[in-house]
Amino acid sequence: MNRRDFTGLAGAAALVPLAGTSAQAQEFPTKPIQLMVAYPAGGSTDIGARIVASIAEKAIGQPVVVVNKGGAGGQVGWTELSRQKPDGYYIGFINLPGFNTVIADPERQAIFDIKSFTPIINQVLDPGVVWVKADSPFKTLKDVIEAAKKEPGKVRAATTGILSDDHLAILMVEEAAAGTNFRIVHLEGGAAQMKETLGGNVDVSFDNVGSIVKQVAAGQVRALAVTDTKRSKFLPDVPTTVELGYPSVISSSTRGIAGPKGMDPKIVARLQDILKKAMDDPEHVAKLEAVGLGIRVMVGKEYQDYYDDIHKKAIKYTEWAKKRPQK
Amino acid sequence: MSTLELLLNGFGAAMSPENLAFALIGCVLGTLIGVLPGVGPAAGTAILIPLTFKLDPTGAIIMLCAIYYGAMYGGTITSVLLNVPGEAASVITCIDGHAMAKQGRGGTALGVAAIGSFVGGVFATIALVVVAVPLSTLALKFGPPEFFALMLVGLCLVTGLAGRSLIAGILMTVVGLMLALVGIDPVRGAPRFTFGVPDLYDGIGFIPVVMGLFGIGEILMTAEKPVREVVRTNLSKLFPEREEWGRVWASIARGTGIGFFLGLIPGVGSIIPTFMSYIAEKRLAKDPSRFGNGAIEGVAGPETANNSYANAAMVPLLTLGIPSSPTIAVLMGAFIVNGLTPGPFLFQEKPELVWAIIASFFIGNVVLLILNLPLVGLWAKILEVPYQYICAGTLLFCILGAYSINQSVFDVTVMIICGGIGYLLRKLDFPLAPLVLGIILGPQLEKSLRTSLEMSAGDYTIFFTRPITLVLLIIAVIILAVAALQLAPKEIREGGDD
């Protein structure tokens, strides 16, 4: 044991009496809980957060306040989350894989890494979708890919932020269909993307199913492909990338809740209990499905494994994004 | 069913005694939020959402809209009385509103703001009913390049018209834009100008800066005068003098138009309409020197634009599901939680509810007027308290406000430093408005510039090939050129005559 380890241990020992006792965990929460969303209000993470918060706070008798800390594709919010006291009163949404790419990209100079957080529970798994506005000349994914092959760098493809899952999906399409090159436009969040796509300022958009279900149903936009292995129950008529012959283009966004590292396991268990109950509540299920969000509750090892697996994938595409030539 | 019938049905649903009570409670709570400087409309509305859970959807949404309107008005009260803007949209009201209060016309300033808010709100709602859908589609044509050009016009207007010298104006704008760069880069995500201080990652908060520059700066300015007479406020004087009415109505009409059109464009935010309206008033006035010294149009125009904007901003939300400001986004979340998803389907899926909400916009505006006019006298009475007490009270109020934004002492420090800077800048006669606008518009300006360049793969001609962008950029150049001519020293301007 070297000196530094010893100091660490001594520090940990000193902290033990201060850490939450089980009585504290039982009483938790005794004051409002802040639930951070690392995107501006109005996006689909925000919607899901507000629904789960509204149900959870009724059950625990304390307000669960959704705090929007948008900016830099989530980094602003996650930086904030990593710096909070691990007392369970400040938790936040981590959106894989956007969260992982922030860590994987050295340019981001993130002050946190994958070990800076305590994963608590996953709420939503929302597959990616390629979509255009209703009067676009692109009728199929093939049309888009051919146009991007014929005139590389001409087709303006929008993400919801640099190195978001949507950005990775564009890179996957370029990888799967050799010779394609999009002009990638990074927009801040789903609401901005909807505005610019409907306004004709971009040609094709990559987002998640939940963000566009209503607009598809209303006939404002057309979904071309869902980047998943099976069709989305919200868009049953839209083919998957696997069906269309691009089995490597699989991308989705998951929204889960995490806290800063070093949380008392009893508080984590209490939060998992509170949040799982809220997520299993029929009102939560109905409201999320009404806006096209697929619920996938994951806790414990299942969520930890998923968290680690997505991280490996994110590192690969982040490295490619850095080297990718923009034609 | 015709639009009118639908609207009348909506009134039928919204006018129940309970719903009227909810509208009243919402307006009171909202006004309180607006009065507290740290709690802006977005945060305040979010905090109050749980209050509405026990209500039926119509009642809940009526109450939330009332909170929203109330908050937009409440900020005006502190701007006028204490020179501390309660929220971003009332920053510009400080300039002439507080000057009016010092002349004993605080009641009139608040009265005119209430009337203007009412007229702007009601007209914007009528326009919402009539032209909502076609206009909202048109507003989508406003892409990142147009946005960039619009912001530039806003900055040029304020720079050119704010003070005694164009150089001073430009200097202040640039300082504001530089302060706006602090924080995490919005596109690449790398920290900038943070010097390793984590508190700076989120950038320099705009509320502490404004409270410092205006509120603390004002305290310091007043404190250096040894004795100050107590302001006698005439309580019955809620309305302008007879000869002022004509100018006031013209300002209100212009404010309504400016607020409505900017409200249709998602992302403009509540502050730009108020600045645009103020500048329009100053520009059109026969004697612009009255501005800054208690010009009533400087209150009437921006306050009307503010509320007209607040109502018009519902158009992109209700028709496209796009929230145009953080507060509206919070409202959208609340709508969803109450079983109402804003977007293209809303009018078909739940017409009863939508029209009840639109009817409640009218009711909210009426309640706000009825509530505020009698209270104005009471608020204005605060100014009769001897100044040393007001001074201490304002200071406490500012410190609490700055702290309550993020529970951060750092924000309090920023506010106090800005107070010192604000005092120095006033002494040196540098205009504060361009500095504030630079901080507020900086992030949006940068984002729209960089997105535009991504759209064009780095080609700057994107700003000259899009008609709306080009026109806006030409306007920006003209504004600066005119300002340069007007503000140039006399000898240069009249040099040709010798």
PDB file of all heavy atoms in Angstrom, chain A residues 12-28:
ATOM      1  N   ALA A  12     -11.724   7.705   3.375  1.00  0.00           N
ATOM      2  CA  ALA A  12     -12.977   6.960   3.291  1.00  0.00           C
ATOM      3  C   ALA A  12     -13.468   6.617   4.687  1.00  0.00           C
ATOM      4  O   ALA A  12     -14.650   6.745   4.998  1.00  0.00           O
ATOM      5  CB  ALA A  12     -12.780   5.691   2.472  1.00  0.00           C
ATOM      6  N   ALA A  13     -12.514   6.205   5.551  1.00  0.00           N
ATOM      7  CA  ALA A  13     -12.895   5.840   6.909  1.00  0.00           C
ATOM      8  C   ALA A  13     -13.492   7.044   7.629  1.00  0.00           C
ATOM      9  O   ALA A  13     -14.490   6.922   8.331  1.00  0.00           O
ATOM     10  CB  ALA A  13     -11.682   5.321   7.671  1.00  0.00           C
ATOM     11  N   ALA A  14     -12.880   8.190   7.382  1.00  0.00           N
ATOM     12  CA  ALA A  14     -13.376   9.395   8.044  1.00  0.00           C
ATOM     13  C   ALA A  14     -14.789   9.723   7.589  1.00  0.00           C
ATOM     14  O   ALA A  14     -15.574  10.298   8.330  1.00  0.00           O
ATOM     15  CB  ALA A  14     -12.445  10.561   7.753  1.00  0.00           C
ATOM     16  N   LEU A  15     -15.096   9.333   6.357  1.00  0.00           N
ATOM     17  CA  LEU A  15     -16.409   9.692   5.810  1.00  0.00           C
ATOM     18  C   LEU A  15     -17.523   8.792   6.328  1.00  0.00           C
ATOM     19  O   LEU A  15     -18.682   9.155   6.274  1.00  0.00           O
ATOM     20  CB  LEU A  15     -16.374   9.609   4.284  1.00  0.00           C
ATOM     21  CG  LEU A  15     -15.737  10.807   3.584  1.00  0.00           C
ATOM     22  CD1 LEU A  15     -15.629  10.542   2.095  1.00  0.00           C
ATOM     23  CD2 LEU A  15     -16.550  12.072   3.844  1.00  0.00           C
ATOM     24  N   VAL A  16     -17.131   7.590   6.817  1.00  0.00           N
ATOM     25  CA  VAL A  16     -18.165   6.619   7.165  1.00  0.00           C
ATOM     26  C   VAL A  16     -19.219   7.161   8.133  1.00  0.00           C
ATOM     27  O   VAL A  16     -20.404   7.056   7.869  1.00  0.00           O
ATOM     28  CB  VAL A  16     -17.533   5.303   7.683  1.00  0.00           C
ATOM     29  CG1 VAL A  16     -18.585   4.416   8.336  1.00  0.00           C
ATOM     30  CG2 VAL A  16     -16.888   4.584   6.525  1.00  0.00           C
ATOM     31  N   PRO A  17     -18.787   7.807   9.212  1.00  0.00           N
ATOM     32  CA  PRO A  17     -19.829   8.266  10.142  1.00  0.00           C
ATOM     33  C   PRO A  17     -20.760   9.293   9.513  1.00  0.00           C
ATOM     34  O   PRO A  17     -21.895   9.441   9.952  1.00  0.00           O
ATOM     35  CB  PRO A  17     -19.027   8.908  11.287  1.00  0.00           C
ATOM     36  CG  PRO A  17     -17.625   8.410  11.123  1.00  0.00           C
ATOM     37  CD  PRO A  17     -17.445   8.128   9.695  1.00  0.00           C
ATOM     38  N   LEU A  18     -20.258   9.981   8.489  1.00  0.00           N
ATOM     39  CA  LEU A  18     -21.082  11.011   7.852  1.00  0.00           C
ATOM     40  C   LEU A  18     -22.057  10.426   6.842  1.00  0.00           C
ATOM     41  O   LEU A  18     -23.059  11.024   6.525  1.00  0.00           O
ATOM     42  CB  LEU A  18     -20.192  12.039   7.145  1.00  0.00           C
ATOM     43  CG  LEU A  18     -19.291  12.867   8.060  1.00  0.00           C
ATOM     44  CD1 LEU A  18     -18.335  13.704   7.212  1.00  0.00           C
ATOM     45  CD2 LEU A  18     -20.123  13.749   8.965  1.00  0.00           C
ATOM     46  N   ALA A  19     -21.703   9.225   6.313  1.00  0.00           N
ATOM     47  CA  ALA A  19     -22.535   8.652   5.257  1.00  0.00           C
ATOM     48  C   ALA A  19     -23.922   8.334   5.810  1.00  0.00           C
ATOM     49  O   ALA A  19     -24.104   8.162   7.011  1.00  0.00           O
ATOM     50  CB  ALA A  19     -21.885   7.391   4.716  1.00  0.00           C
ATOM     51  N   GLY A  20     -24.896   8.254   4.896  1.00  0.00           N
ATOM     52  CA  GLY A  20     -26.272   8.066   5.315  1.00  0.00           C
ATOM     53  C   GLY A  20     -26.457   6.780   6.111  1.00  0.00           C
ATOM     54  O   GLY A  20     -26.000   5.727   5.705  1.00  0.00           O
ATOM     55  N   THR A  21     -27.087   6.866   7.215  1.00  0.00           N
ATOM     56  CA  THR A  21     -27.443   5.661   7.947  1.00  0.00           C
ATOM     57  C   THR A  21     -28.721   5.114   7.333  1.00  0.00           C
ATOM     58  O   THR A  21     -29.360   5.783   6.517  1.00  0.00           O
ATOM     59  CB  THR A  21     -27.713   5.988   9.424  1.00  0.00           C
ATOM     60  OG1 THR A  21     -28.835   6.860   9.471  1.00  0.00           O
ATOM     61  CG2 THR A  21     -26.522   6.646  10.074  1.00  0.00           C
ATOM     62  N   SER A  22     -29.105   3.911   7.745  1.00  0.00           N
ATOM     63  CA  SER A  22     -30.295   3.341   7.118  1.00  0.00           C
ATOM     64  C   SER A  22     -31.533   4.138   7.493  1.00  0.00           C
ATOM     65  O   SER A  22     -32.478   4.234   6.732  1.00  0.00           O
ATOM     66  CB  SER A  22     -30.445   1.869   7.492  1.00  0.00           C
ATOM     67  OG  SER A  22     -30.678   1.768   8.868  1.00  0.00           O
ATOM     68  N   ALA A  23     -31.502   4.741   8.685  1.00  0.00           N
ATOM     69  CA  ALA A  23     -32.655   5.553   9.078  1.00  0.00           C
ATOM     70  C   ALA A  23     -32.822   6.717   8.112  1.00  0.00           C
ATOM     71  O   ALA A  23     -33.922   7.017   7.657  1.00  0.00           O
ATOM     72  CB  ALA A  23     -32.467   6.080  10.495  1.00  0.00           C
ATOM     73  N   GLN A  24     -31.664   7.319   7.733  1.00  0.00           N
ATOM     74  CA  GLN A  24     -31.734   8.429   6.780  1.00  0.00           C
ATOM     75  C   GLN A  24     -32.278   7.947   5.443  1.00  0.00           C
ATOM     76  O   GLN A  24     -33.055   8.634   4.806  1.00  0.00           O
ATOM     77  CB  GLN A  24     -30.349   9.035   6.598  1.00  0.00           C
ATOM     78  CG  GLN A  24     -30.056  10.106   7.628  1.00  0.00           C
ATOM     79  CD  GLN A  24     -28.615  10.568   7.562  1.00  0.00           C
ATOM     80  OE1 GLN A  24     -27.715   9.761   7.312  1.00  0.00           O
ATOM     81  NE2 GLN A  24     -28.396  11.837   7.759  1.00  0.00           N
ATOM     82  N   ALA A  25     -31.830   6.760   5.027  1.00  0.00           N
ATOM     83  CA  ALA A  25     -32.283   6.228   3.750  1.00  0.00           C
ATOM     84  C   ALA A  25     -33.785   5.960   3.785  1.00  0.00           C
ATOM     85  O   ALA A  25     -34.489   6.170   2.805  1.00  0.00           O
ATOM     86  CB  ALA A  25     -31.520   4.945   3.415  1.00  0.00           C
ATOM     87  N   GLN A  26     -34.263   5.528   4.952  1.00  0.00           N
ATOM     88  CA  GLN A  26     -35.697   5.270   5.087  1.00  0.00           C
ATOM     89  C   GLN A  26     -36.494   6.550   4.903  1.00  0.00           C
ATOM     90  O   GLN A  26     -37.509   6.576   4.231  1.00  0.00           O
ATOM     91  CB  GLN A  26     -35.997   4.698   6.477  1.00  0.00           C
ATOM     92  CG  GLN A  26     -35.697   3.208   6.611  1.00  0.00           C
ATOM     93  CD  GLN A  26     -36.516   2.371   5.677  1.00  0.00           C
ATOM     94  OE1 GLN A  26     -37.722   2.522   5.593  1.00  0.00           O
ATOM     95  NE2 GLN A  26     -35.867   1.499   4.913  1.00  0.00           N
ATOM     96  N   GLU A  27     -35.982   7.621   5.566  1.00  0.00           N
ATOM     97  CA  GLU A  27     -36.720   8.875   5.529  1.00  0.00           C
ATOM     98  C   GLU A  27     -36.577   9.593   4.189  1.00  0.00           C
ATOM     99  O   GLU A  27     -37.387  10.432   3.863  1.00  0.00           O
ATOM    100  CB  GLU A  27     -36.200   9.812   6.629  1.00  0.00           C
ATOM    101  CG  GLU A  27     -36.685   9.429   8.007  1.00  0.00           C
ATOM    102  CD  GLU A  27     -35.804  10.026   9.085  1.00  0.00           C
ATOM    103  OE1 GLU A  27     -35.067  10.984   8.791  1.00  0.00           O
ATOM    104  OE2 GLU A  27     -35.854   9.529  10.217  1.00  0.00           O
ATOM    105  N   PHE A  28     -35.507   9.221   3.449  1.00  0.00           N
ATOM    106  CA  PHE A  28     -35.235   9.910   2.194  1.00  0.00           C
ATOM    107  C   PHE A  28     -36.474   9.871   1.306  1.00  0.00           C
ATOM    108  O   PHE A  28     -37.094   8.820   1.195  1.00  0.00           O
ATOM    109  CB  PHE A  28     -34.055   9.213   1.503  1.00  0.00           C
ATOM    110  CG  PHE A  28     -33.700   9.802   0.176  1.00  0.00           C
ATOM    111  CD1 PHE A  28     -32.763  10.806   0.084  1.00  0.00           C
ATOM    112  CD2 PHE A  28     -34.324   9.345  -0.974  1.00  0.00           C
ATOM    113  CE1 PHE A  28     -32.443  11.349  -1.145  1.00  0.00           C
ATOM    114  CE2 PHE A  28     -34.016   9.895  -2.204  1.00  0.00           C
ATOM    115  CZ  PHE A  28     -33.063  10.892  -2.289  1.00  0.00           C
TER     116      PHE A  28
END
